[in-house]
Amino acid sequence: MQKSIIAKTHLLRLLRLISIAVSLVIAGCASAPPIQTYYVLSHSPTANISDISGQPDVSIRRVTLPNYLNQKGIVRMQQNGKVHLSLTDIWADRLSDAIPTILARNIEATKQSPVEVHPLPPGISVDTIVEVDIQQLISEASINNSNQLTLVAKYRLVKPKHLDSYNFSTHIPLSDTSTVALVDAHNQALEALALDIAKHL
């Protein structure tokens, strides 16, 4: 009889330990950080820049962004003006670092001449400096409820004793609601901006 009670006691302790272990595993899984996917911007796939060389006469000096864009997570506009910052879909580089290079590569492809990104090496100067102020770059629902990426920007072309200022906007329809489609729309919008800049250089 006593052996039976001892066996039952051991069994109850074992069940309690198993229950605690299962609870700890479940809690550990619940608190595990979400898997993050990184995305990069890219210049136009049709751009042929491998043979472009020589002394640059244009440089991208600065690209400014709203605070909600100058962080790692990819953002989307939600209803009532809310901005959703993703914790799992992440830019591999901050947009303030990536966009100047993407603009430079797309302008190079259009002009077929080198474009640099500031800071320039010591003793090097260019004829035209480009400054870009991006005021909006985010997906949103259009009037017919289809999703699109909107880019609104102002840019300046700074030359010796001369300054030209331009406004730019474009709307890129999203092929679907995936992040891949959203990143592709970013690339298309920035290519359109670069083409607009290039035609005024």
Side-chain angles (χ1 to χ4, degrees):
M1 182 73 175
Q2 189 174 1
K3 287 183 179 179
S4 174
I5 293 172
I6 292 172
K8 285 181 181 178
T9 303
H10 283 305
L11 182 59
L12 287 171
R13 285 181 182 166
L14 182 60
L15 289 172
R16 282 192 193 116
L17 288 173
I18 291 173
S19 176
I20 291 170
V22 169
S23 297
L24 289 172
V25 168
I26 291 172
C29 291
S31 63
I35 297 174
Q36 295 180 329
T37 305
Y38 290 84
Y39 296 86
V40 294
L41 292 173
S42 60
H43 59 74
S44 169
T46 60
N48 181 14
I49 60 174
S50 59
D51 297 329
I52 298 174
S53 60
Q55 183 170 337
D57 58 6
V58 175
S59 178
I60 310 291
R61 177 160 65 189
R62 182 176 68 239
V63 174
T64 59
L65 298 165
N67 288 335
Y68 70 87
L69 288 176
N70 204 17
Q71 47 197 324
K72 288 284 193 175
I74 295 177
V75 296
R76 288 178 169 88
M77 183 74 79
Q78 295 183 325
Q79 291 181 347
N80 302 321
K82 293 181 181 178
V83 174
H84 175 260
L85 173 66
S86 178
L87 299 177
T88 55
D89 293 332
I90 307 295
W91 291 115
D93 299 302
R94 288 190 182 276
L95 292 182
S96 56
D97 296 327
I99 290 177
T101 300
I102 296 303
L103 290 175
R105 298 298 78 85
N106 281 320
I107 294 171
E108 274 185 348
T110 303
K111 301 290 287 181
Q112 286 296 296
S113 62
V115 176
E116 284 296 319
V117 176
H118 268 55
L120 295 172
I124 299 298
S125 61
V126 294
D127 296 333
T128 305
I129 292 171
V130 181
E131 298 178 343
V132 181
D133 177 19
I134 291 179
Q135 297 156 356
Q136 185 178 357
L137 178 59
I138 195 167
S139 65
E140 58 183 356
S142 63
I143 296 173
N144 59 4
N145 289 325
S146 61
N147 289 328
Q148 62 182 10
L149 178 82
T150 297
L151 168 60
V152 178
K154 182 175 183 177
Y155 63 89
R156 293 165 291 279
L157 306 181
V158 184
K159 303 178 182 182
K161 299 182 180 180
H162 190 73
L163 170 67
D164 290 319
S165 182
Y166 301 91
N167 292 309
F168 175 82
S169 66
T170 188
H171 305 282
I172 307 295
L174 300 182
S175 57
D176 55 54
T177 59
S178 69
T179 304
V180 171
L182 180 57
V183 172
D184 184 57
H186 278 75
N187 290 328
Q188 293 180 53
L190 293 171
E191 181 183 7
L193 174 57
L195 290 172
D196 197 74
I197 294 171
K199 77 181 183 184
H200 293 111
L201 290 172

